[in-house]
Amino acid sequence: MKKGILLVNLGSPDSPNPKDVKKYLGEFLMDERVIDVPLWARTLLVKGIILNTRPKASAKAYQKIWWEEGSPLIVLSERLQEKVQKQVEYPVALAMRYGSMTIKNGLQDLVDQGCTEIKTIPLYPQFAMATTETIDVLIDELVAEHFPQVTITRTPAFYHRKDYINALSQSIADSLKGVDYEHILFSYHGVPERHIRKSDITNGNCKMNGKCCFKMGSPQHEFCYRHQCEITTVNVAKKLGLKNGTYSTTFQSRLGFDPWLKPYTDRTIEKMGQEGTKKMAIVTPAFVSDCLETLEEIAMEGEEIFHEVGGKEFTVIPCLNERDDFVQVLTNMVEEWANSKKPETV
C-alpha cells in the first residue's frame, strides 16, 4: 500500500469579486456543521438574507488583504505544502474544505499517484465541529462513494503536541523580540456555545462555565474546542514564562445573535484600551495560515478599535504559515504515522 498525505485548510473565494465571494459564502454557510440549524431555516437565513447582504461587504474586506499571487490563505497553504513535500518521502497534496480546491480533487491527486493509504491532516490545531469534523465527515463520504480502495487515517487535534507548542511559542517570541507590550491577547475563532454542547461525548458533563476546561483528564476534552483553546494558551504562557494578568484568551468572528464563546475579542480590545492599556500584542492560534480573519478582522479592524479608545501600539503576531518549525511539526506527524509512534504531548 502506497502512502500519501492530504493537507486540508478552510478555503477561499477564487477572487475578491462579489460574485466569487457570494459563491464561496454560499458553500461555506450552507454546511450543516457551520450553521447547525434545520435545512429550511439555514436556507432561509443564508440564501434569503446573508447572501443578499453580505457578499459586497465581504468582497471589500477580501480586496484589502488580497495578494498579487492570490488569496493569502491559499498562497501560504501552497508554500507550506511545498515545504512539507521536501521533507517527506510520500506524496503530499493540498485541498480546501470550501472553494475550487476541493477535497475530492486532492484525494484524486493522491490516488492518481498510486496512493491507497492516505493520512488526512486538517490544518486546525484545535478540534471543532465547524472545522475538523466537517472535513472528516466529507472525506468519509467521498471515500465511500468515489475511492473505496483507499484507507484513511485521521489526524486528531494537535493543540497539545510538544513540538506544536514549541513552534507557536517561538513564533510569538520571535515577533515580540524588542517589542514593548503590556498584554498579549490569544484570540481564537469563536463558535456558538451549542457547538460545544453538541461535541460533548459525555452528554452533559460540560457545564459551559469555564471551570471544567481546566480539569485535566475529562473524556469530553478530546472534542471540546473551548478546552483545547484554553489549554493552548496555558501551555504557551508556561513555555514563554508569561506572568498571570499579562495574557488572556478571547474569541473572535461571531455571527448572528445566539450566544458564542466569550469573552469576545473586539469587546476585550475596546475594554482594555478604555481601561488604560497602551501597548497590546495579539496572536491567533486557531489559524495556522494568515487569512481574512487575521489580516483584516484583527490586524485592521482590531487595531482601529484599539486606537479609537486610546491604545497606542498594537502588535499583530503572524500565524505559523510556512515557518520551518511548523513544517517540522507536520513532518513529525507523518513520520509518527509511518512508524506507528505516538507524539510527545504537554
Side-chain angles (χ1 to χ4, degrees), residues 215-258:
K215 293 181 179 179
M216 305 308 293
S218 299
Q220 74 264 30
H221 288 170
E222 181 180 0
F223 301 107
C224 180
Y225 178 70
R226 182 174 181 175
H227 159 79
Q228 295 180 10
C229 293
E230 296 281 9
I231 296 305
T232 301
T233 298
V234 168
N235 284 331
V236 172
K238 183 178 180 180
K239 180 72 178 178
L240 293 176
L242 301 180
K243 296 180 180 179
N244 288 338
T246 65
Y247 65 92
S248 54
T249 294
T250 60
F251 300 91
Q252 64 184 86
S253 310
R254 63 189 181 279
L255 174 68
F257 302 101
D258 292 338

Side-chain angles (χ1 to χ4, degrees), residues 65-283:
I65 59 103
W66 208 261
W67 291 352
E68 185 176 341
E69 308 100 302
S71 161
L73 182 142
I74 300 295
V75 173
L76 290 166
S77 297
E78 289 174 337
R79 292 176 185 173
L80 178 65
Q81 179 257 332
E82 290 171 1
K83 280 193 169 185
V84 173
Q85 181 64 85
K86 292 179 181 179
Q87 298 298 318
V88 303
E89 60 182 294
Y90 313 109
V92 180
L94 174 66
M96 299 290 152
R97 175 58 181 87
Y98 312 102
S100 56
M101 293 181 63
T102 67
I103 292 177
K104 182 181 178 183
N105 287 344
L107 290 169
Q108 187 66 60
D109 180 14
L110 293 173
V111 169
D112 289 345
Q113 296 181 68
C115 299
T116 54
E117 188 176 357
I118 297 174
K119 180 174 179 63
T120 58
I121 305 180
L123 294 171
Y124 305 106
Q126 302 84 19
F127 172 92
M129 206 173 85
T131 55
T132 311
E133 184 175 301
T134 188
I135 288 173
D136 288 342
V137 169
L138 179 58
I139 287 173
D140 287 346
E141 292 173 354
L142 290 169
V143 168
E145 183 175 356
H146 301 285
F147 309 102
Q149 76 278 25
V150 169
T151 299
I152 296 292
T153 299
R154 293 180 177 178
T155 299
F158 55 91
Y159 70 100
H160 57 342
R161 287 182 61 102
K162 185 175 181 179
D163 53 7
Y164 164 71
I165 292 299
N166 288 344
L168 178 58
S169 300
Q170 189 61 51
S171 73
I172 295 171
D174 290 346
S175 295
L176 295 182
K177 194 173 296 182
V179 175
D180 186 20
Y181 64 91
E182 301 165 59
H183 196 91
I184 301 179
L185 209 58
F186 289 74
S187 178
Y188 298 83
H189 198 290
V191 300
E193 290 182 355
R194 65 178 181 274
H195 281 202
I196 305 299
R197 296 190 178 92
K198 286 185 175 182
S199 298
D200 181 4
I201 58 175
T202 63
N203 296 318
N205 255 5
C206 180
K207 305 303 180 185
M208 285 303 299
N209 59 9
K211 295 180 180 180
C212 62
C213 288
F214 301 96
K215 293 181 179 179
M216 305 308 293
S218 299
Q220 74 264 30
H221 288 170
E222 181 180 0
F223 301 107
C224 180
Y225 178 70
R226 182 174 181 175
H227 159 79
Q228 295 180 10
C229 293
E230 296 281 9
I231 296 305
T232 301
T233 298
V234 168
N235 284 331
V236 172
K238 183 178 180 180
K239 180 72 178 178
L240 293 176
L242 301 180
K243 296 180 180 179
N244 288 338
T246 65
Y247 65 92
S248 54
T249 294
T250 60
F251 300 91
Q252 64 184 86
S253 310
R254 63 189 181 279
L255 174 68
F257 302 101
D258 292 338
W260 281 51
L261 293 182
K262 298 179 181 69
Y264 299 138
T265 296
D266 54 355
R267 293 182 183 175
T268 301
I269 292 172
E270 182 179 31
K271 181 180 179 182
M272 293 190 68
Q274 290 172 338
E275 293 177 349
T277 300
K278 298 300 181 183
K279 301 175 182 180
M280 175 182 290
I282 187 164
V283 62

